Amino acid sequence: MIATQVAVAPSRTQVTRLAWLDALRGIGAMAVVAEHMLPWLMPALRPYWFNLGMYGVLVFFLVSGYIIPASLEHRGDVRAFWISRIFRLYPLYLLVIGLVLVMAIWVPVRMEVPRHPSSVAAHLSMLLDVVHMGGVADPMWTLSYEMVFYLIVTALFVGGAHRRSGLLAIAFGVVAVASGLVLSAPLLPGEWPAIVTCVIFVAGLACLISGRFRMVAAYSLGLMALVLLVFASFVPWFGAAILAVMFTGTAIQRWEAGTGGLTPVVVSAALVAVSPVWSIQAGWWWVQPDVWITTMALAGGTFALAMALRGRPIPGVLTWIGLISYSIYLLHHPLLRGLNSLLGDLRGLPAALQSAVSLGYLVVLLTLSWLTYRFVEAPAQRLGKRISRSLRSPQTGSSEG
């Protein structure tokens, strides 16, 4: 979810222009870390009037919605876009999966992960949450919705319908409200959706990158993503609400560019705000109206404030954390589980010791995240760019069938 950085020409103007997005990633990453860290290390500091983790996730989804369609349209090349996404997402993702499996010698893999080949298929496609599968690292669930968004945006781009972001934000908001009223569980149960999805996903990406049957592949993948979102995800209303938030981010970008208005932003935000109110699956504390709406308002306000201040200097620490935010996001939970396994329950320690352990955890996390960015993420992204340049075609993704 947080792997949404987009390659741009390394001019100072462009770096400055996008620094506010890196700052938002940094804020979002640390909010998610705090949500998972505080209950285990400093429970007295965890807020309950809003959800820190969901706040960070919503910020990330707004950033993805804002930048991903613009990236695809700027490239004008479906192949280059997907090569970039694959080399941005998978190297670290696979490394973390391997790390968790090695740690399983003393820290058991989460019980939410089925001991079945379908789990391997779900992890390969990253469509974990929308095929009702748990990830080996808890935060991986958000990558499912990033991937659904990429697939739908690709289908819209290939079909020439990518400018209708505002209508799509409202449509997904309506689906969120409606599905919450009638759906209480996945309508496509069992292990087979994960396996079938993986086969279609791999074949479809091969077509998108090779250029063979590209239009058919894009439409098929987009349709598959929609079906999974509504009929196979753990909580259908929540998945649709997330897509509404992401397309709201796109609508904001359209408004900024002068190609759209703010009405869809307001309408979709209202629909997302009320989506859990009458939902069958809405018993958690963080989707109660006061907490849910407060969390949404804080996320939206953070995004709006950052956007308003984007021309001003951004604190370097925020942009640095944003740069390594994908590593922070994927590494922090396995590291926290390992710490808990080694040291046990720390909630009864004196406040000073809790603070010291928490600070040590953050130092280790940021150091490891910088190392994985430096030696895994960055080299993989450079390799992806080289491969993309070597395969570059004069045709654009929208003109190839």
Side-chain angles (χ1 to χ4, degrees):
M1 171 222 48
I2 67 179
T4 53
Q5 287 140 317
V6 176
V8 293
S11 70
R12 179 171 297 179
T13 300
Q14 288 169 316
V15 170
T16 301
R17 180 171 58 84
L18 296 177
W20 67 283
L21 295 174
D22 276 332
L24 284 173
R25 293 186 189 99
I27 293 169
M30 297 314 295
V32 174
V33 170
E35 173 64 22
H36 290 142
M37 179 186 76
L38 291 178
W40 286 10
L41 300 181
M42 305 182 73
L45 297 183
R46 187 188 188 188
Y48 286 94
W49 55 279
F50 82 107
N51 187 305
L52 256 173
M54 189 51 55
Y55 159 79
V57 165
L58 289 173
V59 168
F60 284 131
F61 284 140
L62 284 169
V63 171
S64 289
Y66 181 91
I67 199 66
I68 289 298
S71 169
L72 177 55
E73 292 161 22
H74 174 74
R75 296 174 189 273
D77 185 349
V78 169
R79 172 190 290 143
F81 173 78
W82 275 102
I83 290 174
S84 169
R85 291 296 85 197
I86 289 169
F87 281 89
R88 176 75 180 98
L89 293 170
Y90 275 94
L92 180 67
Y93 174 78
L94 295 174
L95 177 66
V96 172
I97 290 174
L99 172 65
V100 172
L101 294 179
V102 170
M103 287 176 58
I105 298 171
W106 71 91
V107 183
V109 175
R110 300 171 66 235
M111 292 303 298
E112 294 83 354
V113 181
R115 275 54 172 177
H116 188 275
S118 59
S119 183
V120 176
H123 280 85
L124 182 59
S125 69
M126 282 195 188
L127 293 166
L128 292 154
D129 219 55
V130 294
V131 292
H132 49 270
M133 294 281 172
V136 296
D138 180 79
M140 288 178 177
W141 70 268
T142 61
L143 298 178
S144 309
Y145 299 101
E146 290 277 346
M147 191 61 74
V148 166
F149 185 64
Y150 298 162
L151 295 175
I152 293 174
V153 166
T154 299
L156 292 170
F157 178 75
V158 170
H162 53 287
R163 299 288 180 186
R164 300 173 183 173
S165 309
L167 288 176
L168 287 165
I170 294 172
F172 278 108
V174 170
V175 171
V177 174
S179 61
L181 289 171
V182 299
L183 298 178
S184 60
L187 295 182
L188 298 174
E191 292 85 11
W192 66 268
I195 296 172
V196 173
T197 293
C198 182
V199 173
I200 297 173
F201 178 81
V202 172
L205 283 195
C207 290
L208 291 179
I209 293 172
S210 69
R212 295 175 180 270
F213 308 107
R214 181 168 289 173
M215 185 170 290
V216 173
Y219 289 164
S220 299
L221 289 170
L223 178 61
M224 178 190 76
L226 284 172
V227 170
L228 293 174
L229 183 76
V230 178
F231 298 112
S233 60
F234 276 120
V235 185
W237 75 261
F238 184 58
I242 288 173
L243 266 291
V245 169
M246 297 178 88
F247 277 109
T248 296
T250 310
I252 292 171
Q253 193 276 332
R254 304 286 187 213
W255 168 77
E256 183 188 29
T259 59
L262 282 178
T263 300
V265 174
V266 176
V267 174
S268 61
L271 289 167
V272 172
V274 302
S275 57
V277 173
W278 305 284
S279 173
I280 299 170
Q281 291 179 295
W284 311 286
W285 70 270
W286 54 271
V287 295
Q288 299 310 304
D290 55 342
V291 178
W292 175 250
I293 293 172
T294 300
T295 303
M296 280 186 56
L298 288 173
T302 301
F303 188 89
L305 181 63
M307 191 173 180
L309 299 177
R310 64 190 182 278
R312 300 188 180 186
I314 304 295
V317 66
L318 282 182
T319 56
W320 178 73
I321 293 175
L323 189 68
I324 64 172
S325 58
Y326 187 44
S327 284
I328 292 173
Y329 190 76
L330 287 187
L331 286 171
H332 81 273
H333 202 263
L335 183 61
L336 194 57
R337 294 189 75 220
L339 177 66
N340 181 257
S341 177
L342 288 173
L343 301 182
D345 191 345
L346 303 176
R347 290 172 294 181
L349 291 178
L353 284 178
Q354 287 182 343
S355 299
V357 173
S358 299
L359 179 61
Y361 164 75
L362 291 174
V363 169
V364 172
L365 172 63
L366 292 175
T367 302
L368 288 177
S369 298
W370 178 82
L371 289 172
T372 52
Y373 174 80
R374 174 70 177 80
F375 295 107
V376 179
E377 290 190 69
Q381 290 178 63
R382 289 194 294 269
L383 176 59
K385 290 176 185 177
R386 289 197 296 271
I387 292 173
S388 184
R389 283 194 297 267
S390 69
L391 298 175
R392 185 167 295 161
S393 164
Q395 294 179 298
T396 66
S398 59
S399 63
E400 296 176 1

